[in-house]
Each structure stands twice: as C-alpha cells, then as structure tokens.
Amino acid sequence: QQSSPAQAEFYQAVEEVLESLTPILEHNPKYRQQAIIERMVEPERQIMFRVPWVDDQGNIQVNKGYRVEFNSALGPYKGGIRFHPSVNASIIKFLGFEQIFKNALTGLPIGGAKGGANFDPKGKSDGEIMRFCQSFMNELYRHIGPTTDVPAGDIGVGAREIGYMFGQYKKLANSFDGVFTGKSLLWGGSLARKEATGYGCVYFAQYMLADRQQQLAGKRCLVSGSGNVAIYTIEKLQQLGATAVTCSDSSGTVYHASGINLDTLKQIKEAQPQRLTAYLKFHPDAEYISTADYPADGHAVWRFKAELAFPCATQNELTVADARALVENGCLAVSEGANMPSTQEAVEVFLASGIAYGPGKAANAGGVATSQLEMAQNASMQRWSFEEVDTKLQVIMRNIYLRARDTAAEFGQPGNLVLGANIAGFKRVAEAMIEQGVV
Ligand code: NDP
C-alpha cells in the first residue's frame, strides 16, 4: 500500500479477495512457490492517455483515459468502459481486478480488464459525446481487437457511446470485427445483452432464495440506481411477481409504495434522460428524498422495510449502518447488481447475520457472460433469439451460483458466497497461469 497510498478502492478489492483465499493458499503451497498472488495483483499492462476534444463553444478540453489489461490467462481481456467524473487509476484497477475473478467464475474463456475516463457525459451535447468518444478511441484502438481486448459499456457508456467508439475503431483499424460488446442490434449486438446484468442479478437472487425454501414472488424489494442495471433488475422482478419500491440516482431516491412504474422510469432515464425528480410529475403519490436529506451514515434507499435488496448504482453505496438497518428490517437476501456496492464492514454484517448475500462478482456476472455470448455469435456469424440467449443466461447464472455455493461448502464455510466466488474464480485463473509458465 505504501507505494500507491491513493489507490483506496483497489486495495479494498484486493484485501477482500486475499482474505478469502487463505484456506486455498494454505492447502496449495504451489501457489506461493509460483508467486501467483504477486503476479495477479500486478496488471499485465496499464495504458493511461490524454483525451483532448473540442466542446461546442470551441474550447479545448482534456480528460484522462485509462485501460487496465489485468489478466489474460483465460482468454482475451474483457471488461467495460466507464465515463464518470470520479474515474481514476484506483477505480479502474479495482474494477479490472474484480473482473478477473468474475469472468473466471462464468466458466467462459475471457480474461479481465477495465477502462474509462474522468469525463462527465451529463449535460453534454450529442456532438460533444461523439468527439470525446472519437478522441478516446484515437489512442485505445491500437491496444484492442477481437482476440486481444474486447471492451463493453459500464456507467456512462451505453449503446450510443459504443456506437461512436466502434465507428472510430473501424475507421482506424480498417476492420469490421467483434471488438466491442453491447453493440447496437443493427450491427452485431446480441439480443438480451442490454437486459442481461439486471436479469442475471435477479436470477441469482432466485437461486439463493430457492436454497432457503423461499421464492421471489410477492416480495418487496429495494433497488438503488436508475441506469441500465437497475432498470432491468426492476423489470425482471416485476415479471417474476415481486415489487420494487425504490430507485435512485446521484441526486436522490424515489420511494413508491405501490411499486416503481417501469414505463415512467424508462421514459425519464432511457428515452429522454432527466433527473429522477421528474418521476413525481407522473406519480404524485411517490415520495422523493434528496441526498441532502439522507441519513448522515448512509443512503435513504436501504432504510425502507423490505425483504430483498439489489444495490445497482455504484461502489461503496451501502454502508455498515445501511447493512444493519436492512438486517433489522427483516431483509432475507442481498444480490449485488453493481460492482463492490457494499463497504467491507457492510459485507461483514451480512455474513455475520446469516442472510443470503450474493457479491457483485457473482451476482452481476450475467452481463459479461452475455457479452461473451455476443462474441460467440459474432465469431460464428450467427444471431440467436432473445429466448435462446436468456435461457443460456439462466444456465450460466445457476452454474455461477452452484460454483460459489459448493466451493464455500468445500472450504468449510457453507453459505459464504464471497469466499466461494473468490476461491472458485482464483483457482481457474491460477491453474491457467501455472500451465502457461512465468510470463
Ligand atoms: P448507468 O450509467 O446506466 O447507471 C448508473 C446509475 O448509478 C445511475 O442511476 C447513476 O445516477 C447512479 N450513479 C453512478 N455513480 C453514482 C455515484 N457516484 N453516486 C450515486 N449514484 C451514482 O450504469 P450501469 O447501470 O451500467 O452500472 C451500474 C453498476 O453496475 C456499476 O457498478 C457497474 O460497474 C455495474 N455493472 C454494470 C454492468 C453492465 O452490464 N452495465 C455489468 C456488471 C456490473 P446518475 O445518473 O445520477 O449518475
């Protein structure tokens, strides 16, 4: 930690993984002899670059761009690109590190990576977004390719941004290939990719509940965020007979006791992006809590009473006080759509309480798994139906759950899916690294 004291999120993610690896490291001295941990925590390659662009007023703006290609033992680097003002080297490294284990856990042939820029897409014109994406790609194009590194979307990067980045890649590389996932359905995207992370996170909750003789139907659910993952988590919850009563953005939280109206949410977040306060114009019976009125030690979403919780916004959005409130209010299960949304202390509360807790690297892996299905369709020039992709997604989520559950039991901590997911993912990557030699 002394060499890079500022990388708090990265060290948080590494610490969480290393803590759970103790049992497997103790039983397998070869991992220490092969310096697997020392090699794994060091990215294979980190690219940091200037992203200059011209705004609508003719001013030159400069942002910082990143791509961390963390581990390619299992396949081409794979992981999203995030555009958000909070992006820095620590956040991209934490996300890239988590991605290694998540991707391994899917059982699919994909390595781990992450990228992004400290660019704020909010309030930018379409032309500004396009010029930014083109400038970002002017550097990144030389590092990526369908068998090298295949980026996707994340916070602030949806189909529009992927379109602009792909267009510039195609021009510079002179190649129309499957270098991105999350593409438009018009030119190589997969049906059900948009829905996959949210749907997968709900399937994961379903599998956790089934093992506890519980079902989703009829449950009240708390969801945070109102972006891609949150919207499709709410959609799948509704389809399965559960009721999501909250959603949020970085300005505040909506609580709607009769259930969040999905059409309204899609209208104000997908069709004509605006702040969540607009929800109340359509539903005056809903309640709005601004961030200024949040409890000092946490987040308004987690203070309502419900049986299930789905954090789907961003890292460290669920504090130890939030975790205690959820458990005290009778929450049965937490399934994480976002990456590392719960602080380490919050995770300890969930594990100690005995409620079902699905960590992000297992519960939100449906997105990257479906990205790999998109790569498979591109490589074989096929197009699968929505139902076919959704069925494969359900099988993958079930296998991820079983791998995490059975590994936790094998290592003497039944029910601890953090330990199970970390060990199962680690083992696959470590074995592949050993077979490939010291490179
Ligand atoms: P979107 O950009 O579509 O939505 C993000 C949501 O989170 C928005 O509601 C946003 O509100 C809110 N948010 C973002 N940053 C903050 C912040 N610092 N404080 C409070 N709220 C914030 O992103 P996604 O839905 O794609 O991603 C959400 C999470 O899921 C991330 O952790 C991402 O890494 C993870 N994930 C996404 C996958 C995918 O397939 N998209 C796959 C696996 C994980 P606002 O608009 O006000 O900023």
Side-chain angles (χ1 to χ4, degrees):
Q1 264 191 30
Q2 279 168 350
S3 60
S4 317
Q7 300 200 338
E9 294 83 2
F10 176 53
Y11 286 110
Q12 182 184 341
V14 171
E15 217 173 296
E16 184 235 88
V17 170
L18 294 191
E19 267 178 22
S20 35
L21 294 182
T22 310
I24 190 169
L25 295 177
E26 277 172 358
H27 287 98
N28 293 278
K30 68 175 176 182
Y31 294 140
R32 283 193 201 280
Q33 286 152 12
Q34 293 275 343
I36 290 295
I37 298 295
E38 291 81 349
R39 287 199 268 157
M40 255 186 208
V41 298
E42 203 57 58
E44 287 175 16
R45 188 178 299 115
Q46 297 189 67
I47 304 140
M48 289 175 64
F49 50 99
R50 177 173 70 202
V51 190
W53 55 284
V54 180
D55 68 20
D56 286 348
Q57 287 70 47
N59 302 313
I60 298 170
Q61 304 280 350
V62 183
N63 287 95
K64 292 180 200 293
Y66 303 84
R67 184 74 179 164
V68 177
E69 297 178 334
F70 229 115
N71 195 301
S72 61
L74 294 176
Y77 304 109
K78 185 90 197 82
I81 288 183
R82 175 178 292 192
F83 291 162
H84 193 272
S86 65
V87 162
N88 57 33
S90 170
I91 288 183
I92 298 300
K93 278 180 76 179
F94 118 64
L95 290 163
F97 185 72
E98 290 276 292
Q99 198 82 41
I100 305 171
F101 303 94
K102 180 192 306 193
N103 293 3
L105 202 55
T106 64
L108 300 167
I110 37 180
K114 201 79 188 189
N118 64 344
F119 169 74
D120 190 355
K122 281 197 202 86
K124 302 290 190 298
S125 70
D126 202 52
E128 289 176 324
I129 298 277
M130 182 179 75
R131 292 194 292 280
F132 179 81
C133 290
Q134 290 173 339
S135 178
F136 187 81
M137 210 29 66
N138 284 344
E139 175 56 35
L140 194 65
Y141 91 96
R142 69 189 91 240
H143 306 286
I144 60 177
T147 57
T148 319
D149 183 353
V150 185
D154 191 75
I155 290 178
V157 176
R160 175 182 60 165
E161 291 74 20
I162 286 176
Y164 291 147
M165 285 193 275
F166 178 79
Q168 188 73 353
Y169 167 85
K170 180 167 60 82
K171 186 179 169 93
L172 295 170
N174 192 28
S175 176
F176 192 117
D177 53 46
V179 73
F180 267 94
T181 58
K183 301 186 289 293
S184 156
L185 296 175
L186 283 176
W187 41 273
S190 172
L191 287 162
R193 171 60 189 91
K194 183 175 66 173
E195 293 83 357
T197 308
Y199 280 21
C201 173
V202 176
Y203 295 143
F204 197 89
Q206 220 179 1
Y207 302 134
M208 291 196 295
L209 289 172
D211 262 356
R212 292 162 181 251
Q213 285 72 51
Q214 294 272 356
Q215 54 179 20
L216 264 171
K219 299 282 188 294
R220 259 170 69 92
C221 308
L222 305 177
V223 178
S224 64
S226 50
N228 171 267
V229 180
I231 288 174
Y232 293 96
T233 294
I234 294 173
E235 181 168 286
K236 183 49 73 179
L237 286 171
Q238 284 190 358
Q239 286 172 7
L240 295 175
T243 307
V245 292
T246 60
C247 60
S248 66
D249 63 13
S250 50
S251 312
T253 291
V254 164
Y255 171 71
H256 200 173
S258 58
I260 296 292
N261 185 299
L262 196 57
D263 290 340
T264 307
L265 190 60
K266 285 186 176 179
Q267 179 63 27
I268 61 177
K269 287 295 178 184
E270 286 187 338
Q272 290 172 320
Q274 44 195 306
R275 307 312 295 160
L276 210 46
T277 39
Y279 187 93
L280 267 73
K281 283 192 235 149
F282 300 90
H283 305 283
D285 58 321
E287 198 182 316
Y288 182 78
I289 305 114
S290 147
T291 46
D293 299 319
Y294 279 12
D297 55 358
H299 195 296
V301 168
W302 314 120
R303 304 305 170 94
F304 292 98
K305 205 171 161 60
E307 289 136 318
L308 304 175
F310 296 86
C312 295
T314 192
Q315 65 274 358
N316 293 327
E317 55 159 319
L318 196 157
T319 65
V320 65
D322 294 329
R324 288 197 189 110
L326 282 169
V327 173
E328 277 164 24
N329 281 330
C331 181
L332 301 170
V334 178
S335 187
E336 294 182 341
N339 284 311
M340 207 169 74
S342 308
T343 64
Q344 218 161 345
E345 297 75 20
V347 173
E348 282 159 20
V349 169
F350 293 143
L351 293 177
S353 72
I355 69 167
Y357 169 63
K361 70 166 74 68
N364 72 32
V368 72
T370 308
S371 277
Q372 203 277 341
L373 301 180
E374 182 173 329
M375 289 163 74
Q377 290 171 77
N378 292 160
S380 60
M381 296 189 175
Q382 286 182 3
R383 181 80 182 273
W384 303 339
S385 69
F386 190 99
E387 290 68 29
E388 197 173 347
V389 179
D390 190 30
T391 304
K392 288 183 198 297
L393 170 65
Q394 289 179 52
V395 172
I396 291 170
M397 292 315 295
R398 174 115 189 105
N399 287 337
I400 291 172
Y401 172 66
L402 294 179
R403 248 175 235 131
R405 184 196 70 179
D406 296 348
T407 308
E410 182 189 336
F411 284 87
Q413 294 206 32
N416 185 341
L417 300 179
V418 176
L419 180 126
N422 284 335
I423 292 185
F426 169 82
K427 210 170 151 189
R428 250 193 106 207
V429 180
E431 292 296 330
M433 286 174 74
I434 291 172
E435 285 178 10
Q436 290 169 18
V438 181
V439 287

